[in-house]
Amino acid sequence: MDYICIFFGILFIIAGFMFFFGKAHIHLTAWKNMPQDEKDKIKILPLCRNIGVVIILSGIIFLMKGLLPDFSNHLFVVSMTAWMIAAGLDVWYITKSERYKQL
């Protein structure tokens, strides 16, 4: 068992659920400093759900690394690389999509 990976897995899953349910973004400095007219242009709940799922997935990968002896270092690196690519594509989608903008 890798206790550090278990710790980070649990931490990321908790943070992901906080984002998913819309409880974490209000604590971000960028959100606090954003003018109200900019906040009104964002559909924050769908955006928080999207980001929450991405964070939860990284937590699951860390938990698997910590709990499963068969989840080797190589498989962990491959999984995290795939996650990084998927997260990057998700950020690209968020910036291009109208789904998260109030019309």
Side-chain angles (χ1 to χ4, degrees):
M1 291 182 94
D2 186 349
Y3 294 108
I4 293 173
C5 285
I6 293 171
F7 172 76
F8 279 114
I10 292 170
L11 185 69
F12 289 162
I13 289 172
I14 291 170
F17 275 113
M18 286 180 64
F19 268 100
F20 187 84
F21 291 113
K23 304 294 183 191
H25 75 282
I26 56 175
H27 301 290
L28 297 174
T29 303
W31 182 258
K32 289 178 183 178
N33 294 335
M34 187 181 293
Q36 188 60 41
D37 62 324
E38 289 293 320
K39 290 179 185 179
D40 293 340
K41 295 178 184 177
I42 301 170
K43 291 182 184 176
I44 194 65
L45 192 57
L47 182 60
C48 283
R49 288 192 174 147
N50 181 317
I51 299 302
V53 168
V54 171
I55 296 171
I56 290 169
L57 287 175
S58 70
I60 290 170
I61 293 171
F62 273 95
L63 263 183
M64 288 173 54
K65 170 70 171 128
L67 295 174
L68 302 176
D70 293 336
F71 200 73
S72 68
N73 283 333
H74 175 71
L75 190 53
F76 174 72
V77 170
V78 169
S79 298
M80 285 309 294
T81 302
W83 177 85
M84 285 184 213
I85 292 168
L89 290 172
D90 186 46
V91 169
W92 177 80
Y93 173 74
I94 288 169
T95 60
K96 300 296 181 192
S97 175
E98 298 292 319
R99 180 178 182 187
Y100 305 107
K101 297 177 184 173
Q102 297 280 10
L103 301 175

